Amino acid sequence: MTGNLFIVAAASGTGKTSLVKALLAADPRIALSVSYTTRQPRPGEVDGVDYHFVDEARFLKMLEEGEFLECAEVHGARYGTSQRRVENCLKTGDDLILEIDWQGAAQVRNLMPAVISIFILPPSIDTLARRLKTRAQDSEEVIARRLNAAREEMSHVAEFDYVIMNDDFQAALEDLHAVIRAQRLKCDRQLAQHQGLLNSLK
């Protein structure tokens, strides 16, 4: 039985990365697909753990060779997901999360219609602006650009299967975990997992 593939998307500053990290820490049955990016590492980020940080030339070579399941340009940097990594992980039966934007989500849906997509919303644009300023990682100009991009990102929310409001972090984490558990409990997956029991009833 192949694993479940999940997409988690959100506007920058919504708390998507923190939620995914908390989910991974609590659930050993799910892994994160580490994306490739041409942007510079932020403080505390580790190459190969948070992202595979590569230069523009290497990224474009990988793109030309068809190595990406999806790729997009966000805030002036390129991001891409390794197709080989995704396929290998799912073949083992492990669940996998892609932490990508709406553009990448649309590409993955076209190639893998069974993907489960989740969008994380902030309580308001004002709250999102405060979170971006509190991070103290970007200039006012960059924050304004990110807020404009956030409006564009959130305009695609209706394309996703599930929507979670990150107003209270713990509640949002529980909602995210609920989506993962519900997918694992679908009838076809449970029948495949417990085939031995069902065969004994015949």
Side-chain angles (χ1 to χ4, degrees):
M1 181 173 65
T2 59
N4 293 298
L5 181 62
F6 298 93
I7 289 171
V8 178
S12 178
T14 304
K16 170 186 64 176
T17 299
S18 296
L19 284 169
V20 169
K21 283 183 176 178
L23 174 69
L24 295 172
D27 190 340
R29 294 175 58 196
I30 194 162
L32 176 67
S33 174
V34 180
S35 298
Y36 287 81
T37 184
T38 59
R39 78 159 171 78
Q40 292 299 306
R42 290 177 180 147
E45 289 184 331
V46 178
D47 184 39
V49 176
D50 298 286
Y51 288 95
H52 296 292
F53 296 99
V54 297
D55 60 23
E56 184 89 358
R58 184 180 173 197
F59 191 99
L60 292 176
K61 187 172 188 297
M62 293 175 71
L63 179 61
E64 183 182 341
E65 293 173 352
E67 291 193 33
F68 293 129
L69 175 64
E70 61 80 32
C71 64
E73 187 170 342
V74 184
H75 306 307
R78 298 180 188 273
Y79 294 82
T81 298
S82 167
Q83 183 165 348
R84 187 184 301 111
R85 156 73 169 146
V86 170
E87 291 174 347
N88 289 344
C89 184
L90 295 178
K91 283 176 184 176
T92 67
D94 293 335
D95 292 339
L96 189 66
I97 284 182
L98 304 183
E99 194 181 324
I100 56 179
D101 79 328
W102 70 269
Q103 301 172 77
Q107 294 173 47
V108 175
R109 276 192 216 97
N110 287 334
L111 294 171
M112 306 178 79
V115 67
I116 305 98
S117 58
I118 306 161
F119 197 93
I120 312 295
L121 280 175
S124 68
I125 288 290
D126 288 342
T127 301
L128 187 59
R130 283 197 300 273
R131 289 176 180 173
L132 287 171
K133 289 174 182 176
T134 301
R135 279 199 321 198
Q137 292 178 345
D138 301 308
S139 66
E140 289 293 329
E141 181 184 350
V142 170
I143 288 173
R145 195 161 63 241
R146 286 184 181 278
L147 287 174
N148 286 333
R151 289 183 172 89
E152 168 66 14
E153 185 92 25
M154 288 188 283
S155 72
H156 294 272
V157 65
E159 300 167 13
F160 289 74
D161 300 312
Y162 296 91
V163 179
I164 295 172
M165 174 71 72
N166 187 14
D167 189 4
D168 176 87
F169 183 85
Q170 193 58 39
L173 178 58
E174 290 173 5
D175 288 343
L176 181 57
H177 218 153
V179 172
I180 306 298
R181 287 195 299 264
Q183 184 63 25
R184 290 170 177 166
L185 293 172
K186 279 195 167 183
C187 185
D188 59 337
R189 304 195 71 80
Q190 287 294 302
L191 293 181
Q193 186 173 348
H194 303 294
Q195 193 62 51
L197 169 64
L198 297 173
N199 288 340
S200 71
L201 302 177
K202 296 178 183 178

